Amino acid sequence: MSNVMVVGDTHFPACHSKYFDFVKSMYKKYRCNRIVHIGDLVDHHTVSFHKKHPESDSALLEYKEAIKDIEKWYKQFPRMSVCIGNHDERVVRLCADLGIPSLYLKEYRDVYKTKTWTWDYNFIIDGVYYTHGTGSSGLYPSFNQVKSRAMSCVMGHHHSIAGINWLVGPNTRYFGMDVGSGVDHNHVGFSYGKNHLKKPVVSCGIVIDGKFPYLEVMDL
Ligand SMILES: [Fe+2]
């Protein structure tokens, strides 16, 4: 059984500057021995179907900035399971739109120089389902997954939603945890949301032995 640290959406290079130290300290506090990134490792603000902000970097500069951040995390956490998020997939989706088969593309681990990280759409650890949550919605998105899958679920994707909900039956006990995110909403990549009243919850999740979820919120 594992003590799993769950890192929220980081959207490198648009991650909050204090998030790395925060996750590191929570990893230590809960004596974690596994780490899952819940997806949207990178932002890809400049590689998108949407119009980019006129003051944003070029795609190459954004990549270089993201790589600097990733390097730091990779050094600290050389074994990470990364859920593939909708922002991570932007290049793949744009290529698919142009009719380019994925065999022409590099693996995520090669693009981001993270040889020993494992990338997949979902992971099951100690009976708990970890996935990014692309396409999910609602007030408690991970709880909807719990009801559909009949198992405990952990999700990211909704930056301003963080919390834990329980579904307990006579012989079962499942939880749904939305882990918030690690993003800096002042970054130019998030300027589209500057008038939104709901801001990102900067937080991370911890799951002990597949049974006990904790949500830790960072002091901004
Ligand atoms: Fe995200």
Side-chain angles (χ1 to χ4, degrees):
M1 303 301 269
S2 326
N3 292 8
V4 183
M5 161 58 61
V6 192
V7 182
D9 297 30
T10 47
H11 286 250
F12 295 130
C15 184
H16 195 289
S17 58
K18 286 160 68 179
Y19 194 57
F20 175 72
D21 285 339
F22 170 69
V23 169
K24 223 167 65 170
S25 67
M26 291 302 133
Y27 190 95
K28 201 170 161 198
K29 176 178 169 184
Y30 286 90
R31 297 179 185 171
C32 295
N33 50 17
R34 274 202 75 162
I35 181 162
V36 173
H37 191 295
I38 210 66
D40 283 358
L41 182 88
V42 293
D43 190 45
H44 277 148
H45 173 66
T46 51
V47 184
S48 170
F49 299 102
H50 309 290
K51 286 227 164 14
K52 65 175 188 173
H53 193 279
E55 285 157 31
S56 57
D57 294 333
S58 70
L60 189 60
L61 199 57
E62 187 186 349
Y63 170 81
K64 284 179 177 170
E65 289 292 310
I67 277 287
K68 262 195 259 167
D69 290 333
I70 293 167
E71 238 173 38
K72 186 169 77 173
W73 285 72
Y74 185 58
K75 217 169 166 188
Q76 181 69 33
F77 304 111
R79 304 262 164 207
M80 182 135 78
S81 304
V82 185
C83 300
I84 300 166
N86 50 310
H87 280 251
D88 301 316
E89 278 194 306
R90 278 183 169 179
V91 173
V92 179
R93 286 179 55 211
L94 281 168
C95 287
D97 253 31
L98 294 170
I100 300 170
S102 59
L103 64 91
Y104 286 103
L105 304 176
K106 282 189 189 176
E107 298 283 334
Y108 289 109
R109 69 179 66 195
D110 296 327
V111 175
Y112 299 114
K113 302 174 183 172
T114 53
K115 237 184 192 157
T116 49
W117 284 3
T118 310
W119 296 72
D120 211 336
Y121 286 95
N122 49 68
F123 296 91
I124 295 175
I125 303 167
D126 302 332
V128 178
Y129 191 83
Y130 296 80
T131 193
H132 179 61
T134 307
S136 65
S137 60
L139 198 52
Y140 308 111
S142 66
F143 196 60
N144 295 334
Q145 289 263 340
V146 170
K147 289 182 280 184
S148 306
R149 296 188 183 278
M151 64 195 295
S152 293
C153 297
V154 179
M155 273 179 25
H157 188 51
H158 303 275
H159 303 175
S160 53
I161 300 177
I164 299 164
N165 290 286
W166 292 91
L167 180 66
V168 181
N171 304 305
T172 53
R173 193 176 65 173
Y174 303 131
F175 64 85
M177 176 159 65
D178 296 287
V179 294
S181 72
V183 301
D184 174 4
H185 70 266
N186 291 315
H187 191 276
V188 67
F190 291 111
S191 52
Y192 65 87
K194 75 171 192 269
N195 294 322
H196 296 180
L197 286 180
K198 277 176 96 179
K199 300 298 179 196
V201 183
V202 181
S203 50
C204 68
I206 301 97
V207 179
I208 309 291
D209 294 340
K211 287 184 193 165
F212 308 108
Y214 298 88
L215 183 85
E216 289 276 2
V217 179
M218 188 176 93
D219 184 5
L220 298 172

